[in-house]
Amino acid sequence: MLTAKFDQLVNQLRVLPGVGQKSAQRMALHLLTKKRPQGIALAHALDDAMRGIKECQRCHSLSDEEVCPLCQDPRRDDSQLCVVETAADVMAIEQTANYRGRYFVLGGHLSPIDGISADDLNIDQLVRYVTQSPIDELILATGTTVEGQTTAHFISEAVGRHVKKVTRLAQGVPMGGELEYLDSMTLGQALQNRSFL
Ligand code: ZN
């Protein structure tokens, strides 16, 4: 324990995932002794982000405005809607640069064990989205966990009749993967979902 202010900073840094007492102390010391101006800039950026970033009214991803830049972009394809669990998934898919459609963020997945039911996700909003805007293809990009699969199935039931087709991300062999190290579920899925060369 150095000072009360130092302890307070360490305690706040510990809210970050994977940051324990030791790492928090190291971060705080680093900022105080070597990166003070950057530390102040960090504090400002945090304050700005925490107060200013909200949920996009349309896709429920993160946004500075009522509607996010992705939803506002006229070059995106309105006929495809990719349903993901979190804003992090939007970022991951955007980084592939392989998708030009729109997104919809559910806000998680169904998980009875954790008490997360359909009412806790943006499913009503998704139904409203697809009934208000015509969609050709709804791409279900929820996780491949049991919860993710259950969520995909649930959405397909709830929304499927409002769209022309519902697709699911292919599952199978990861890039650079050796077949012998794959679990049999993944390899089985890869065989089922095989595509033309
Ligand atoms: Zn949006």
Side-chain angles (χ1 to χ4, degrees):
M1 190 184 297
L2 286 175
T3 78
K5 285 191 202 310
F6 184 80
D7 282 353
Q8 191 189 332
L9 174 58
V10 168
N11 279 335
Q12 296 307 326
L13 284 168
R14 289 186 62 183
V15 305
L16 294 167
V19 175
Q21 181 72 15
K22 276 255 169 70
S23 342
Q25 281 177 354
R26 218 174 302 131
M27 287 177 188
L29 268 176
H30 180 75
L31 288 171
L32 282 165
T33 55
K34 298 195 177 100
K35 302 271 176 184
R36 215 172 260 239
Q38 291 89 337
I40 291 168
L42 173 65
H44 283 309
L46 258 178
D47 188 63
D48 214 29
M50 292 307 124
R51 290 179 201 279
I53 297 178
K54 45 197 153 203
E55 204 175 285
C56 169
Q57 292 298 304
R58 198 159 159 73
C59 72
H60 299 275
S61 185
L62 300 178
S63 182
D64 293 348
E65 314 290 335
E66 293 299 305
V67 177
C68 77
L70 272 170
C71 285
Q72 287 193 44
D73 188 345
R75 292 162 302 175
R76 306 291 296 209
D77 182 355
D78 285 320
S79 70
Q80 286 182 316
L81 186 67
C82 181
V83 179
V84 294
E85 293 182 13
T86 66
D89 301 330
V90 174
M91 293 177 208
I93 296 178
E94 277 302 286
Q95 273 160 19
T96 70
N98 271 326
Y99 178 67
R100 297 299 303 156
R102 306 278 181 194
Y103 291 96
F104 189 91
V105 177
L106 287 173
H109 52 228
L110 295 174
S111 178
I113 293 171
D114 302 315
I116 301 170
S117 69
D119 293 342
D120 301 309
L121 304 179
N122 298 320
I123 291 177
D124 287 345
Q125 292 89 332
L126 176 61
V127 173
R128 212 173 308 139
Y129 189 117
V130 298
T131 45
Q132 283 170 2
S133 341
I135 308 285
D136 288 337
E137 183 180 6
L138 189 76
I139 304 168
L140 298 178
T142 52
T144 57
T145 55
V146 173
E147 292 89 349
Q149 309 267 29
T150 310
T151 308
H153 188 73
F154 185 89
I155 291 169
S156 174
E157 293 285 302
V159 184
R161 64 181 179 281
H162 300 295
V163 296
K164 285 192 184 146
K165 64 176 169 186
V166 179
T167 58
R168 179 98 175 94
L169 287 191
Q171 291 165 33
V173 185
M175 293 295 281
E178 300 274 13
L179 293 196
E180 61 177 312
Y181 299 119
L182 282 182
D183 64 281
S184 52
M185 280 260 283
T186 305
L187 190 52
Q189 281 286 339
L191 262 170
Q192 259 181 26
N193 299 334
R194 66 194 185 278
S195 55
F196 288 104
L197 199 61

